[in-house]
Amino acid sequence: MDILFINANILTMDNNKYIENGYVAIKDGKISYIGEVKPEGEAKEIIDAKNHLIMPGLHNIHTHLPMSAMRGYADEYDLDSWLNKMVFPVEAKHDEKTVYLSTLLGIADSIAHGTVSVKEMYFKLDEIGKAVFESGIKANISNGAISFDRAGYTFDSLNSTNETKSFFKNWHNCDNGRIKLDMSIHAEYTSFDRVWLDHAQFAKENNLLMHVHVSETLKEHVECKERNGGLTPVQVLDKHHIFDTRTTAAHCVFIEKEDMNILRARDAVIAHNPISNLKLGSGIAPLCDMLDCGVRVGIGTDGVCSNNSHDMFEEIKTAVLLQKGMTHNPAILSSCKGVELATVNGAYAQGREHESGMIKVGMDADIIMINLARPNLYPVHDIYSTIVYSMRGLDVTMNMVRGKMLYYKGEFKTIDIEKLMYEIKSYVMPKLFGK
């Protein structure tokens, strides 16, 4: 054994098994033992997890990590104004260094709040890959294609295509699949049919997953139907094979029942981003209707510029409470289901269901540890209730991916946080904001 956790409270998310005062062993980056009895053999390192919870790390399935430098920059705007007046002008100033540093900042924020894997959509992919590689986190990374030039369009004319092909060559399946390339189009309203067909074909030929924004606002949803003879974004994209490969459909605030049926049939996963949707005034996605229809749903934070946090515990709590408040039914969504969205379902969205999302023998040791002795978490009557309604990202004391410590007792193990924050202040802020 490389590491043995003792005296641990263990939430496995494997058939909802929960063990008190148990043991978790790790060997060669994998979970090699879980149980109530100490395993035989010697461990190179023993970690006493008394009064702590060990659980699967969280999977954030819709992020824009380089937006971390824009935290608090563009508040109180609707999506259209936020994008066109505030975000796009700043993003046009990004260079390779600003993207790399801002990505590292977003990863540090994520790691400290219990996230072990992200599904990322942005540009300058090679720099994002570099930051992910150095940090030790897992990531599925894509560049959402945008094109309005029907006359001049070819697949290879897009900068996003060039980045995608470069990333495919340099980073896809790097470190035994810790880093993966996804295919992506930004959204139905920022591209057109030939773009969708080409990207769907590239994804199919290279066995890549897909990532796309869908029906984030009512305006987007209604205008799509007006352009396409009553067809919704889901229906239009489905006709053009976007969902032929496993797809993460981000937001889906205004999807209809037929859309849900399509997404279920195509084995897609919806990335529910409740806080971003609330902050931009976009609306509240019908999470319980999606689940009742049999659609898989995971949780995302979206970018920090439209959320201000990568705290997935905050996101889980908001998602669950919104559904109770909307339906006036406190029993409509269980806390257990809330945890499942951010662990098991999140891993599935990334094609990582056989390696992550549960604490199970043979799976990667992608786990986090939380101090249950803190006043806000004590006493524990029900572990799921504690996680969803009481826990915060700041309660995380350890984050581990494939058995490697990324964060422990307030210390980042793979990121020089003081140097990073200095570089954000001295280079990124002047470059993007002139200050």
Side-chain angles (χ1 to χ4, degrees):
M1 290 175 287
D2 296 319
I3 301 174
L4 178 64
F5 292 93
I6 64 174
N7 302 318
N9 299 294
I10 309 159
L11 180 63
T12 68
M13 294 309 294
D14 180 15
N15 294 316
N16 298 326
K17 186 177 182 181
Y18 182 56
I19 299 171
E20 295 183 281
N21 298 315
Y23 300 83
V24 176
I26 297 167
K27 182 175 176 58
D28 297 329
K30 302 282 187 181
I31 297 166
S32 60
Y33 176 85
I34 309 160
E36 299 177 7
V37 178
K38 185 178 180 181
E40 296 182 358
E42 297 298 319
K44 296 177 183 177
E45 181 180 3
I46 294 176
I47 297 177
D48 190 346
K50 184 178 181 180
N51 296 323
H52 282 71
L53 170 70
I54 289 178
M55 65 176 286
L58 307 180
H59 289 250
N60 184 347
I61 66 166
H62 185 62
T63 60
H64 308 293
L65 291 171
M67 298 184 84
S68 297
M70 302 168 72
R71 189 191 314 267
Y73 157 74
D75 295 344
E76 280 77 61
Y77 292 90
D78 63 79
L79 181 63
D80 279 352
S81 300
W82 178 81
L83 273 175
N84 293 298
K85 295 181 180 180
M86 303 299 292
V87 172
F88 288 158
V90 170
E91 289 186 330
K93 301 176 184 178
H94 264 305
D95 61 18
E96 284 76 10
K97 187 175 180 179
T98 59
V99 167
Y100 164 73
L101 293 170
S102 299
T103 300
L104 267 184
L105 181 63
I107 292 172
D109 187 19
S110 300
I111 288 171
H113 288 91
T115 293
V116 295
S117 191
V118 299
K119 197 168 175 77
E120 168 68 16
M121 183 197 293
Y122 213 68
F123 52 89
K124 299 192 184 299
L125 298 191
D126 284 336
E127 300 307 313
I128 296 173
K130 178 183 175 184
V132 169
F133 180 78
E134 292 174 0
S135 72
I137 201 170
K138 289 182 175 181
N140 291 44
I141 302 170
S142 65
N143 186 329
I146 298 175
S147 178
F148 301 98
D149 182 12
R150 285 183 174 271
Y153 166 79
T154 65
F155 182 58
D156 289 324
S157 71
L158 298 183
N159 186 59
S160 58
T161 298
N162 296 327
E163 286 195 11
T164 294
K165 289 184 175 181
S166 175
F167 193 89
F168 185 78
K169 177 182 177 181
N170 296 330
W171 294 103
H172 182 52
N173 283 327
C174 177
D175 196 11
N176 295 313
R178 181 166 65 84
I179 301 173
K180 293 180 179 290
L181 172 71
D182 282 357
M183 207 58 185
S184 178
I185 61 167
H186 176 264
E188 177 276 334
Y189 66 96
T190 52
S191 51
F192 48 88
D193 50 1
R194 287 162 55 205
V195 179
W196 311 331
L197 290 168
D198 286 345
H199 284 69
Q201 183 65 25
F202 189 89
K204 184 177 181 180
E205 289 175 352
N206 294 285
N207 195 30
L208 302 176
L209 306 187
M210 184 68 73
H211 194 173
V212 58
H213 294 98
V214 174
S215 297
E216 184 174 358
T217 65
L218 182 60
K219 180 177 183 289
E220 170 195 340
H221 190 79
V222 169
E223 289 182 355
C224 175
K225 294 178 74 171
E226 291 173 349
R227 282 192 301 272
N228 294 283
L231 297 181
T232 67
V234 166
Q235 293 160 18
V236 171
L237 295 175
D238 184 51
K239 284 184 62 178
H240 293 86
H241 304 287
I242 288 298
F243 303 118
D244 285 7
T245 184
R246 187 181 298 179
T247 300
T248 294
H251 301 295
C252 295
V253 177
F254 293 97
I255 64 168
E256 302 173 15
K257 182 61 181 293
E258 180 56 30
D259 299 335
M260 297 180 200
N261 290 333
I262 290 171
L263 295 176
R264 182 192 66 238
R266 298 288 185 257
D267 200 28
V269 182
I270 293 172
H272 182 40
N273 304 267
I275 293 177
S276 175
N277 296 152
L278 288 171
K279 186 166 181 279
L280 291 171
S282 299
I284 301 171
L287 173 59
C288 287
D289 290 344
M290 298 168 179
L291 296 173
D292 288 345
C293 190
V295 184
R296 293 182 194 266
V297 181
I299 298 288
T301 59
D302 209 356
V304 160
C305 191
S306 63
N307 182 314
N308 299 51
S309 172
H310 286 118
D311 188 344
M312 285 282 286
F313 289 103
E314 182 180 65
E315 211 76 37
I316 297 167
K317 179 176 182 178
T318 303
V320 173
L321 291 180
L322 277 174
Q323 298 304 305
K324 296 173 184 287
M326 285 176 61
T327 61
H328 310 286
N329 180 357
I332 195 166
L333 188 61
S334 70
S335 52
C336 177
K337 176 59 72 172
V339 178
E340 182 182 304
L341 301 180
T343 54
V344 177
N345 287 11
Y348 189 88
Q350 294 187 273
R352 300 183 185 273
E353 66 270 23
H354 300 300
E355 67 181 65
S356 195
M358 293 186 286
I359 297 179
K360 186 176 181 179
V361 171
M363 283 194 163
D364 288 352
D366 300 341
I367 62 179
I368 58 176
M369 189 164 70
I370 295 107
N371 184 3
L372 294 177
R374 294 189 177 185
N376 60 299
L377 300 179
Y378 189 84
V380 177
H381 292 287
D382 177 272
I383 192 61
Y384 293 104
S385 175
T386 297
I387 292 169
V388 172
Y389 302 119
S390 302
M391 202 166 283
R392 302 167 299 186
L394 292 176
D395 296 318
V396 173
T397 58
M398 185 210 74
N399 188 323
M400 169 185 289
V401 173
R402 291 184 174 176
K404 179 180 180 179
M405 292 282 190
L406 308 187
Y407 179 82
Y408 190 51
K409 294 183 177 180
E411 181 181 352
F412 292 94
K413 298 296 186 177
T414 59
I415 298 172
D416 186 335
I417 196 67
E418 291 184 2
K419 178 183 177 184
L420 173 60
M421 294 180 79
Y422 171 78
E423 291 184 301
I424 293 289
K425 181 179 180 180
S426 63
Y427 185 82
V428 176
M429 297 302 286
K431 176 70 175 176
L432 298 185
F433 305 101
K435 61 182 179 180

PDB file of all heavy atoms in Angstrom, residues 263-295:
ATOM      1  N   LEU A 263     -32.591  13.973 -25.688  1.00  0.00           N
ATOM      2  CA  LEU A 263     -31.355  13.891 -24.916  1.00  0.00           C
ATOM      3  C   LEU A 263     -31.245  12.564 -24.178  1.00  0.00           C
ATOM      4  O   LEU A 263     -30.156  11.977 -24.083  1.00  0.00           O
ATOM      5  CB  LEU A 263     -31.264  15.063 -23.943  1.00  0.00           C
ATOM      6  CG  LEU A 263     -31.138  16.447 -24.592  1.00  0.00           C
ATOM      7  CD1 LEU A 263     -31.165  17.535 -23.537  1.00  0.00           C
ATOM      8  CD2 LEU A 263     -29.863  16.550 -25.425  1.00  0.00           C
ATOM      9  N   ARG A 264     -32.363  12.077 -23.670  1.00  0.00           N
ATOM     10  CA  ARG A 264     -32.345  10.765 -23.010  1.00  0.00           C
ATOM     11  C   ARG A 264     -32.001   9.667 -24.017  1.00  0.00           C
ATOM     12  O   ARG A 264     -31.155   8.806 -23.754  1.00  0.00           O
ATOM     13  CB  ARG A 264     -33.715  10.465 -22.389  1.00  0.00           C
ATOM     14  CG  ARG A 264     -33.759   9.123 -21.644  1.00  0.00           C
ATOM     15  CD  ARG A 264     -35.161   8.693 -21.298  1.00  0.00           C
ATOM     16  NE  ARG A 264     -35.921   8.399 -22.496  1.00  0.00           N
ATOM     17  CZ  ARG A 264     -37.065   8.998 -22.837  1.00  0.00           C
ATOM     18  NH1 ARG A 264     -37.586   9.948 -22.074  1.00  0.00           N
ATOM     19  NH2 ARG A 264     -37.698   8.651 -23.949  1.00  0.00           N
ATOM     20  N   ALA A 265     -32.649   9.702 -25.175  1.00  0.00           N
ATOM     21  CA  ALA A 265     -32.415   8.675 -26.194  1.00  0.00           C
ATOM     22  C   ALA A 265     -30.982   8.704 -26.716  1.00  0.00           C
ATOM     23  O   ALA A 265     -30.425   7.667 -27.087  1.00  0.00           O
ATOM     24  CB  ALA A 265     -33.400   8.856 -27.349  1.00  0.00           C
ATOM     25  N   ARG A 266     -30.375   9.891 -26.729  1.00  0.00           N
ATOM     26  CA  ARG A 266     -29.011  10.038 -27.255  1.00  0.00           C
ATOM     27  C   ARG A 266     -27.942   9.854 -26.169  1.00  0.00           C
ATOM     28  O   ARG A 266     -26.766  10.008 -26.435  1.00  0.00           O
ATOM     29  CB  ARG A 266     -28.842  11.415 -27.904  1.00  0.00           C
ATOM     30  CG  ARG A 266     -29.753  11.665 -29.080  1.00  0.00           C
ATOM     31  CD  ARG A 266     -29.336  10.844 -30.295  1.00  0.00           C
ATOM     32  NE  ARG A 266     -30.128  11.178 -31.458  1.00  0.00           N
ATOM     33  CZ  ARG A 266     -31.126  10.440 -31.943  1.00  0.00           C
ATOM     34  NH1 ARG A 266     -31.439   9.292 -31.343  1.00  0.00           N
ATOM     35  NH2 ARG A 266     -31.801  10.824 -33.012  1.00  0.00           N
ATOM     36  N   ASP A 267     -28.376   9.560 -24.958  1.00  0.00           N
ATOM     37  CA  ASP A 267     -27.447   9.343 -23.845  1.00  0.00           C
ATOM     38  C   ASP A 267     -26.629  10.592 -23.534  1.00  0.00           C
ATOM     39  O   ASP A 267     -25.461  10.512 -23.131  1.00  0.00           O
ATOM     40  CB  ASP A 267     -26.514   8.158 -24.132  1.00  0.00           C
ATOM     41  CG  ASP A 267     -25.875   7.595 -22.871  1.00  0.00           C
ATOM     42  OD1 ASP A 267     -26.485   7.700 -21.795  1.00  0.00           O
ATOM     43  OD2 ASP A 267     -24.757   7.058 -22.968  1.00  0.00           O
ATOM     44  N   ALA A 268     -27.231  11.758 -23.747  1.00  0.00           N
ATOM     45  CA  ALA A 268     -26.569  13.020 -23.426  1.00  0.00           C
ATOM     46  C   ALA A 268     -26.654  13.293 -21.924  1.00  0.00           C
ATOM     47  O   ALA A 268     -27.450  12.677 -21.199  1.00  0.00           O
ATOM     48  CB  ALA A 268     -27.218  14.164 -24.200  1.00  0.00           C
ATOM     49  N   VAL A 269     -25.822  14.214 -21.467  1.00  0.00           N
ATOM     50  CA  VAL A 269     -25.861  14.657 -20.077  1.00  0.00           C
ATOM     51  C   VAL A 269     -26.060  16.165 -20.065  1.00  0.00           C
ATOM     52  O   VAL A 269     -25.362  16.902 -20.766  1.00  0.00           O
ATOM     53  CB  VAL A 269     -24.555  14.309 -19.330  1.00  0.00           C
ATOM     54  CG1 VAL A 269     -24.643  14.750 -17.867  1.00  0.00           C
ATOM     55  CG2 VAL A 269     -24.253  12.820 -19.423  1.00  0.00           C
ATOM     56  N   ILE A 270     -27.025  16.620 -19.295  1.00  0.00           N
ATOM     57  CA  ILE A 270     -27.258  18.058 -19.147  1.00  0.00           C
ATOM     58  C   ILE A 270     -26.366  18.597 -18.030  1.00  0.00           C
ATOM     59  O   ILE A 270     -26.314  18.028 -16.937  1.00  0.00           O
ATOM     60  CB  ILE A 270     -28.729  18.351 -18.834  1.00  0.00           C
ATOM     61  CG1 ILE A 270     -29.614  17.996 -20.036  1.00  0.00           C
ATOM     62  CG2 ILE A 270     -28.930  19.816 -18.436  1.00  0.00           C
ATOM     63  CD1 ILE A 270     -31.090  18.066 -19.765  1.00  0.00           C
ATOM     64  N   ALA A 271     -25.658  19.683 -18.315  1.00  0.00           N
ATOM     65  CA  ALA A 271     -24.869  20.370 -17.292  1.00  0.00           C
ATOM     66  C   ALA A 271     -25.729  21.483 -16.700  1.00  0.00           C
ATOM     67  O   ALA A 271     -25.978  22.499 -17.351  1.00  0.00           O
ATOM     68  CB  ALA A 271     -23.593  20.940 -17.889  1.00  0.00           C
ATOM     69  N   HIS A 272     -26.197  21.261 -15.490  1.00  0.00           N
ATOM     70  CA  HIS A 272     -27.051  22.222 -14.788  1.00  0.00           C
ATOM     71  C   HIS A 272     -26.163  23.230 -14.064  1.00  0.00           C
ATOM     72  O   HIS A 272     -25.309  22.849 -13.252  1.00  0.00           O
ATOM     73  CB  HIS A 272     -27.929  21.462 -13.797  1.00  0.00           C
ATOM     74  CG  HIS A 272     -28.891  22.310 -13.042  1.00  0.00           C
ATOM     75  ND1 HIS A 272     -29.588  23.353 -13.607  1.00  0.00           N
ATOM     76  CD2 HIS A 272     -29.297  22.261 -11.729  1.00  0.00           C
ATOM     77  CE1 HIS A 272     -30.369  23.905 -12.697  1.00  0.00           C
ATOM     78  NE2 HIS A 272     -30.203  23.271 -11.554  1.00  0.00           N
ATOM     79  N   ASN A 273     -26.352  24.524 -14.370  1.00  0.00           N
ATOM     80  CA  ASN A 273     -25.519  25.601 -13.811  1.00  0.00           C
ATOM     81  C   ASN A 273     -26.416  26.614 -13.082  1.00  0.00           C
ATOM     82  O   ASN A 273     -26.583  27.742 -13.548  1.00  0.00           O
ATOM     83  CB  ASN A 273     -24.755  26.311 -14.926  1.00  0.00           C
ATOM     84  CG  ASN A 273     -23.903  25.382 -15.756  1.00  0.00           C
ATOM     85  OD1 ASN A 273     -22.728  25.188 -15.492  1.00  0.00           O
ATOM     86  ND2 ASN A 273     -24.496  24.800 -16.787  1.00  0.00           N
ATOM     87  N   PRO A 274     -26.986  26.244 -11.968  1.00  0.00           N
ATOM     88  CA  PRO A 274     -28.026  27.083 -11.364  1.00  0.00           C
ATOM     89  C   PRO A 274     -27.573  28.474 -10.954  1.00  0.00           C
ATOM     90  O   PRO A 274     -28.309  29.442 -11.150  1.00  0.00           O
ATOM     91  CB  PRO A 274     -28.481  26.267 -10.144  1.00  0.00           C
ATOM     92  CG  PRO A 274     -27.341  25.334  -9.854  1.00  0.00           C
ATOM     93  CD  PRO A 274     -26.750  25.015 -11.185  1.00  0.00           C
ATOM     94  N   ILE A 275     -26.376  28.613 -10.402  1.00  0.00           N
ATOM     95  CA  ILE A 275     -25.968  29.918  -9.899  1.00  0.00           C
ATOM     96  C   ILE A 275     -25.675  30.877 -11.052  1.00  0.00           C
ATOM     97  O   ILE A 275     -26.093  32.048 -11.028  1.00  0.00           O
ATOM     98  CB  ILE A 275     -24.758  29.786  -8.956  1.00  0.00           C
ATOM     99  CG1 ILE A 275     -25.187  29.037  -7.689  1.00  0.00           C
ATOM    100  CG2 ILE A 275     -24.186  31.156  -8.602  1.00  0.00           C
ATOM    101  CD1 ILE A 275     -24.067  28.781  -6.695  1.00  0.00           C
ATOM    102  N   SER A 276     -24.998  30.425 -12.072  1.00  0.00           N
ATOM    103  CA  SER A 276     -24.761  31.266 -13.242  1.00  0.00           C
ATOM    104  C   SER A 276     -26.073  31.687 -13.879  1.00  0.00           C
ATOM    105  O   SER A 276     -26.258  32.858 -14.246  1.00  0.00           O
ATOM    106  CB  SER A 276     -23.896  30.522 -14.262  1.00  0.00           C
ATOM    107  OG  SER A 276     -23.753  31.268 -15.444  1.00  0.00           O
ATOM    108  N   ASN A 277     -26.997  30.756 -14.021  1.00  0.00           N
ATOM    109  CA  ASN A 277     -28.298  31.074 -14.606  1.00  0.00           C
ATOM    110  C   ASN A 277     -29.057  32.098 -13.771  1.00  0.00           C
ATOM    111  O   ASN A 277     -29.725  32.996 -14.306  1.00  0.00           O
ATOM    112  CB  ASN A 277     -29.144  29.813 -14.774  1.00  0.00           C
ATOM    113  CG  ASN A 277     -28.553  28.801 -15.749  1.00  0.00           C
ATOM    114  OD1 ASN A 277     -28.789  27.607 -15.626  1.00  0.00           O
ATOM    115  ND2 ASN A 277     -27.763  29.265 -16.701  1.00  0.00           N
ATOM    116  N   LEU A 278     -28.949  32.001 -12.458  1.00  0.00           N
ATOM    117  CA  LEU A 278     -29.608  32.964 -11.576  1.00  0.00           C
ATOM    118  C   LEU A 278     -28.937  34.334 -11.666  1.00  0.00           C
ATOM    119  O   LEU A 278     -29.605  35.369 -11.758  1.00  0.00           O
ATOM    120  CB  LEU A 278     -29.561  32.472 -10.130  1.00  0.00           C
ATOM    121  CG  LEU A 278     -30.460  31.293  -9.764  1.00  0.00           C
ATOM    122  CD1 LEU A 278     -30.133  30.799  -8.357  1.00  0.00           C
ATOM    123  CD2 LEU A 278     -31.935  31.676  -9.859  1.00  0.00           C
ATOM    124  N   LYS A 279     -27.609  34.341 -11.649  1.00  0.00           N
ATOM    125  CA  LYS A 279     -26.871  35.606 -11.622  1.00  0.00           C
ATOM    126  C   LYS A 279     -27.087  36.417 -12.901  1.00  0.00           C
ATOM    127  O   LYS A 279     -27.170  37.656 -12.867  1.00  0.00           O
ATOM    128  CB  LYS A 279     -25.386  35.329 -11.416  1.00  0.00           C
ATOM    129  CG  LYS A 279     -24.531  36.580 -11.226  1.00  0.00           C
ATOM    130  CD  LYS A 279     -23.153  36.203 -10.702  1.00  0.00           C
ATOM    131  CE  LYS A 279     -22.303  37.445 -10.494  1.00  0.00           C
ATOM    132  NZ  LYS A 279     -21.700  37.928 -11.749  1.00  0.00           N
ATOM    133  N   LEU A 280     -27.190  35.721 -14.041  1.00  0.00           N
ATOM    134  CA  LEU A 280     -27.432  36.396 -15.316  1.00  0.00           C
ATOM    135  C   LEU A 280     -28.920  36.638 -15.582  1.00  0.00           C
ATOM    136  O   LEU A 280     -29.274  37.193 -16.621  1.00  0.00           O
ATOM    137  CB  LEU A 280     -26.835  35.572 -16.463  1.00  0.00           C
ATOM    138  CG  LEU A 280     -25.300  35.507 -16.509  1.00  0.00           C
ATOM    139  CD1 LEU A 280     -24.850  34.487 -17.541  1.00  0.00           C
ATOM    140  CD2 LEU A 280     -24.703  36.870 -16.830  1.00  0.00           C
ATOM    141  N   GLY A 281     -29.762  36.212 -14.664  1.00  0.00           N
ATOM    142  CA  GLY A 281     -31.197  36.391 -14.841  1.00  0.00           C
ATOM    143  C   GLY A 281     -31.765  35.559 -15.975  1.00  0.00           C
ATOM    144  O   GLY A 281     -32.799  35.904 -16.553  1.00  0.00           O
ATOM    145  N   SER A 282     -31.103  34.453 -16.285  1.00  0.00           N
ATOM    146  CA  SER A 282     -31.525  33.632 -17.420  1.00  0.00           C
ATOM    147  C   SER A 282     -32.729  32.757 -17.106  1.00  0.00           C
ATOM    148  O   SER A 282     -33.518  32.428 -17.996  1.00  0.00           O
ATOM    149  CB  SER A 282     -30.358  32.743 -17.881  1.00  0.00           C
ATOM    150  OG  SER A 282     -29.263  33.523 -18.296  1.00  0.00           O
ATOM    151  N   GLY A 283     -32.866  32.365 -15.861  1.00  0.00           N
ATOM    152  CA  GLY A 283     -33.981  31.514 -15.487  1.00  0.00           C
ATOM    153  C   GLY A 283     -33.523  30.323 -14.665  1.00  0.00           C
ATOM    154  O   GLY A 283     -32.360  30.237 -14.258  1.00  0.00           O
ATOM    155  N   ILE A 284     -34.448  29.401 -14.444  1.00  0.00           N
ATOM    156  CA  ILE A 284     -34.186  28.216 -13.618  1.00  0.00           C
ATOM    157  C   ILE A 284     -34.533  26.976 -14.439  1.00  0.00           C
ATOM    158  O   ILE A 284     -35.676  26.815 -14.882  1.00  0.00           O
ATOM    159  CB  ILE A 284     -35.018  28.238 -12.324  1.00  0.00           C
ATOM    160  CG1 ILE A 284     -34.685  29.492 -11.508  1.00  0.00           C
ATOM    161  CG2 ILE A 284     -34.766  26.973 -11.507  1.00  0.00           C
ATOM    162  CD1 ILE A 284     -35.603  29.712 -10.316  1.00  0.00           C
ATOM    163  N   ALA A 285     -33.568  26.129 -14.656  1.00  0.00           N
ATOM    164  CA  ALA A 285     -33.785  24.925 -15.456  1.00  0.00           C
ATOM    165  C   ALA A 285     -34.705  23.951 -14.717  1.00  0.00           C
ATOM    166  O   ALA A 285     -34.644  23.838 -13.490  1.00  0.00           O
ATOM    167  CB  ALA A 285     -32.456  24.258 -15.765  1.00  0.00           C
ATOM    168  N   PRO A 286     -35.539  23.214 -15.456  1.00  0.00           N
ATOM    169  CA  PRO A 286     -36.487  22.266 -14.848  1.00  0.00           C
ATOM    170  C   PRO A 286     -35.793  20.956 -14.487  1.00  0.00           C
ATOM    171  O   PRO A 286     -36.031  19.903 -15.099  1.00  0.00           O
ATOM    172  CB  PRO A 286     -37.525  22.074 -15.943  1.00  0.00           C
ATOM    173  CG  PRO A 286     -36.761  22.250 -17.225  1.00  0.00           C
ATOM    174  CD  PRO A 286     -35.727  23.316 -16.921  1.00  0.00           C
ATOM    175  N   LEU A 287     -34.934  21.003 -13.502  1.00  0.00           N
ATOM    176  CA  LEU A 287     -34.099  19.863 -13.147  1.00  0.00           C
ATOM    177  C   LEU A 287     -34.910  18.605 -12.850  1.00  0.00           C
ATOM    178  O   LEU A 287     -34.585  17.513 -13.340  1.00  0.00           O
ATOM    179  CB  LEU A 287     -33.224  20.226 -11.940  1.00  0.00           C
ATOM    180  CG  LEU A 287     -32.396  19.110 -11.308  1.00  0.00           C
ATOM    181  CD1 LEU A 287     -31.447  18.493 -12.319  1.00  0.00           C
ATOM    182  CD2 LEU A 287     -31.628  19.640 -10.097  1.00  0.00           C
ATOM    183  N   CYS A 288     -35.949  18.741 -12.044  1.00  0.00           N
ATOM    184  CA  CYS A 288     -36.721  17.554 -11.676  1.00  0.00           C
ATOM    185  C   CYS A 288     -37.468  16.965 -12.876  1.00  0.00           C
ATOM    186  O   CYS A 288     -37.589  15.740 -12.985  1.00  0.00           O
ATOM    187  CB  CYS A 288     -37.691  17.882 -10.541  1.00  0.00           C
ATOM    188  SG  CYS A 288     -36.850  18.110  -8.959  1.00  0.00           S
ATOM    189  N   ASP A 289     -37.946  17.798 -13.777  1.00  0.00           N
ATOM    190  CA  ASP A 289     -38.576  17.293 -14.997  1.00  0.00           C
ATOM    191  C   ASP A 289     -37.572  16.503 -15.830  1.00  0.00           C
ATOM    192  O   ASP A 289     -37.890  15.463 -16.407  1.00  0.00           O
ATOM    193  CB  ASP A 289     -39.144  18.445 -15.826  1.00  0.00           C
ATOM    194  CG  ASP A 289     -40.348  19.099 -15.183  1.00  0.00           C
ATOM    195  OD1 ASP A 289     -40.931  18.491 -14.262  1.00  0.00           O
ATOM    196  OD2 ASP A 289     -40.692  20.228 -15.590  1.00  0.00           O
ATOM    197  N   MET A 290     -36.349  17.012 -15.907  1.00  0.00           N
ATOM    198  CA  MET A 290     -35.296  16.300 -16.634  1.00  0.00           C
ATOM    199  C   MET A 290     -35.053  14.925 -16.025  1.00  0.00           C
ATOM    200  O   MET A 290     -34.986  13.909 -16.733  1.00  0.00           O
ATOM    201  CB  MET A 290     -34.000  17.107 -16.597  1.00  0.00           C
ATOM    202  CG  MET A 290     -34.047  18.471 -17.256  1.00  0.00           C
ATOM    203  SD  MET A 290     -32.561  19.422 -16.807  1.00  0.00           S
ATOM    204  CE  MET A 290     -32.832  20.944 -17.697  1.00  0.00           C
ATOM    205  N   LEU A 291     -34.897  14.898 -14.714  1.00  0.00           N
ATOM    206  CA  LEU A 291     -34.627  13.634 -14.034  1.00  0.00           C
ATOM    207  C   LEU A 291     -35.799  12.675 -14.156  1.00  0.00           C
ATOM    208  O   LEU A 291     -35.625  11.471 -14.363  1.00  0.00           O
ATOM    209  CB  LEU A 291     -34.292  13.897 -12.565  1.00  0.00           C
ATOM    210  CG  LEU A 291     -33.005  14.698 -12.305  1.00  0.00           C
ATOM    211  CD1 LEU A 291     -32.882  15.048 -10.829  1.00  0.00           C
ATOM    212  CD2 LEU A 291     -31.778  13.931 -12.778  1.00  0.00           C
ATOM    213  N   ASP A 292     -37.018  13.198 -14.037  1.00  0.00           N
ATOM    214  CA  ASP A 292     -38.210  12.363 -14.178  1.00  0.00           C
ATOM    215  C   ASP A 292     -38.318  11.761 -15.573  1.00  0.00           C
ATOM    216  O   ASP A 292     -38.849  10.664 -15.763  1.00  0.00           O
ATOM    217  CB  ASP A 292     -39.471  13.169 -13.872  1.00  0.00           C
ATOM    218  CG  ASP A 292     -39.616  13.487 -12.392  1.00  0.00           C
ATOM    219  OD1 ASP A 292     -38.911  12.855 -11.585  1.00  0.00           O
ATOM    220  OD2 ASP A 292     -40.404  14.393 -12.055  1.00  0.00           O
ATOM    221  N   CYS A 293     -37.783  12.494 -16.565  1.00  0.00           N
ATOM    222  CA  CYS A 293     -37.816  12.022 -17.947  1.00  0.00           C
ATOM    223  C   CYS A 293     -36.718  10.989 -18.211  1.00  0.00           C
ATOM    224  O   CYS A 293     -36.709  10.341 -19.255  1.00  0.00           O
ATOM    225  CB  CYS A 293     -37.656  13.215 -18.891  1.00  0.00           C
ATOM    226  SG  CYS A 293     -37.943  12.838 -20.611  1.00  0.00           S
ATOM    227  N   GLY A 294     -35.818  10.842 -17.252  1.00  0.00           N
ATOM    228  CA  GLY A 294     -34.745   9.871 -17.413  1.00  0.00           C
ATOM    229  C   GLY A 294     -33.475  10.422 -18.007  1.00  0.00           C
ATOM    230  O   GLY A 294     -32.567   9.661 -18.380  1.00  0.00           O
ATOM    231  N   VAL A 295     -33.356  11.751 -18.090  1.00  0.00           N
ATOM    232  CA  VAL A 295     -32.146  12.367 -18.615  1.00  0.00           C
ATOM    233  C   VAL A 295     -31.091  12.419 -17.504  1.00  0.00           C
ATOM    234  O   VAL A 295     -31.407  12.741 -16.355  1.00  0.00           O
ATOM    235  CB  VAL A 295     -32.416  13.804 -19.112  1.00  0.00           C
ATOM    236  CG1 VAL A 295     -31.166  14.395 -19.752  1.00  0.00           C
ATOM    237  CG2 VAL A 295     -33.574  13.822 -20.094  1.00  0.00           C
TER     238      VAL A 295
END
